[in-house]
Amino acid sequence: MRAEDTERYARQIRLPQVGEVGQQRLLDATVLIVGMGGLGSPAAMYLAAAGVGHLVLNDFDRVDASNLQRQIVHRHTDIGTSKVDSARSTLAAINPDIRVSAVGWQLEGGELDQQVTQADVVLDCSDNFPTRFALNAACVRTGTPLVSGAAICMEGQVTTYIPRREDSPCYRCLYEDTDEDLAETCAAEGVVAPLVGIVGSIQAMEALKLITGAGQPLCGRLLLIDTLYMEFRELRLPRQPDCPVCGAGRPY
Ligand SMILES: [Zn+2]
């Protein structure tokens, strides 16, 4: 590890659960973040600052004035520019030593599988069900860990799926396929700014743990966050044996 890395990441290296070995794992890691909105903003900023060597950002949207209340990776001067380009310039300013790739279109089919395969961890920070189901299926197919976050109004939830673990459910175990538009729901019902910071930061923390091997991931557990009363609850998430994605014919 270079001397400047030892200095930059000193507070993390100091932790016995990370150390130089863990920091090197972060530097060597690739994380795919799908969605550069409210959840993707803090997740990408913390992972860039923590020294994840390669971040792949995926979003096909452009920065709108109504995003800026909570999507903190974008600036007022970024209105109208593509979210991945806007985010990339912020991340480069935070940590110029890491590589940031921008994918400014909807990932589908073989290209989605390829990006997921190349990632050590995938963060689902998206705002629509078709993307969530496609991403989950790609993670199950390729055996890639998926950290899923969601936030609406004043409530959020986070969980981690690890397809190679026998006891891990997948996103489809929890949710029926639907075409409900979460972005529209979010626009209609609203979402409070710091909540997406809390959820996105927990997603970044889960990614950091998965990469370094520290602690226990939120696997088989759904963390429910009610910011109005500041209550954190946890639900057990069993795998559904008849799940159409990870059930029969499961490739592992
Ligand atoms: Zn499943």
Side-chain angles (χ1 to χ4, degrees), residues 109 112-113 116-117 122 124 129-144 146 161 163 170-173 177 243-246 251-252:
L112 174 61
D113 278 9
V116 168
T117 303
V122 175
D124 185 352
F129 280 114
T131 299
R132 284 177 178 259
F133 285 114
L135 200 52
N136 174 64
C139 285
V140 171
R141 271 196 299 275
T142 60
T144 313
L146 173 67
Y161 306 105
C170 80
Y171 186 74
R172 185 66 179 80
C173 289
D177 224 328
C243 169
V245 173
C246 75
Y252 318 108

Side-chain angles (χ1 to χ4, degrees), residues 9-20 22-23 205 208:
Y9 307 115
R11 299 298 184 281
Q12 241 161 232
I13 292 170
R14 179 66 61 87
L15 298 164
Q17 298 90 341
V18 179
E20 277 212 23
Q23 187 60 50
M205 188 67 216
L208 188 145

Side-chain angles (χ1 to χ4, degrees), residues 216-243:
Q216 288 296 329
L218 259 177
C219 183
R221 300 182 286 146
L222 178 67
L223 182 67
L224 301 170
I225 302 156
D226 175 353
T227 56
L228 203 52
Y229 295 90
M230 209 46 86
E231 285 177 351
F232 289 62
R233 289 190 302 131
E234 200 178 290
L235 292 181
R236 288 271 151 197
L237 291 186
R239 185 158 79 86
Q240 302 298 334
D242 59 347
C243 169

Side-chain angles (χ1 to χ4, degrees), residues 49-246:
V52 170
H54 186 201
L55 294 177
V56 183
L57 315 178
N58 177 220
D59 200 308
F60 56 81
D61 215 354
R62 289 181 177 275
V63 179
D64 183 84
S66 68
N67 300 149
L68 298 173
Q69 158 257 4
R70 66 198 177 285
Q71 301 184 13
I72 58 171
V73 80
H74 311 299
R75 310 284 173 220
H76 185 78
T77 46
D78 296 322
I79 290 173
T81 63
S82 92
K83 285 191 177 179
V84 286
D85 289 339
S86 156
R88 183 162 54 178
S89 75
T90 301
L91 301 181
I94 291 172
N95 190 348
D97 292 341
I98 63 159
R99 188 152 71 96
V100 181
S101 303
V103 181
W105 57 90
Q106 179 91 37
L107 283 171
E108 289 173 321
E111 196 185 15
L112 174 61
D113 278 9
Q114 192 187 359
Q115 288 289 354
V116 168
T117 303
Q118 286 167 2
D120 297 286
V121 180
V122 175
L123 299 194
D124 185 352
C125 300
S126 71
D127 62 1
N128 66 87
F129 280 114
T131 299
R132 284 177 178 259
F133 285 114
L135 200 52
N136 174 64
C139 285
V140 171
R141 271 196 299 275
T142 60
T144 313
L146 173 67
V147 184
S148 176
I152 188 105
C153 302
M154 304 221 183
E155 294 178 8
Q157 44 180 263
V158 195
T159 189
T160 295
Y161 306 105
I162 304 179
R164 290 185 194 277
R165 255 176 66 165
E166 269 306 309
D167 59 340
S168 175
C170 80
Y171 186 74
R172 185 66 179 80
C173 289
L174 268 72
Y175 297 102
E176 288 292 320
D177 224 328
T178 165
D179 54 6
E180 185 193 347
D181 191 327
L182 288 170
E184 273 179 24
T185 311
C186 194
E189 300 193 18
V191 60
V192 69
L195 167 64
V196 292
I198 294 168
V199 174
S201 300
I202 293 173
Q203 288 182 273
M205 188 67 216
E206 285 293 288
L208 188 145
K209 283 159 53 191
L210 289 165
I211 293 163
T212 59
Q216 288 296 329
L218 259 177
C219 183
R221 300 182 286 146
L222 178 67
L223 182 67
L224 301 170
I225 302 156
D226 175 353
T227 56
L228 203 52
Y229 295 90
M230 209 46 86
E231 285 177 351
F232 289 62
R233 289 190 302 131
E234 200 178 290
L235 292 181
R236 288 271 151 197
L237 291 186
R239 185 158 79 86
Q240 302 298 334
D242 59 347
C243 169
V245 173
C246 75

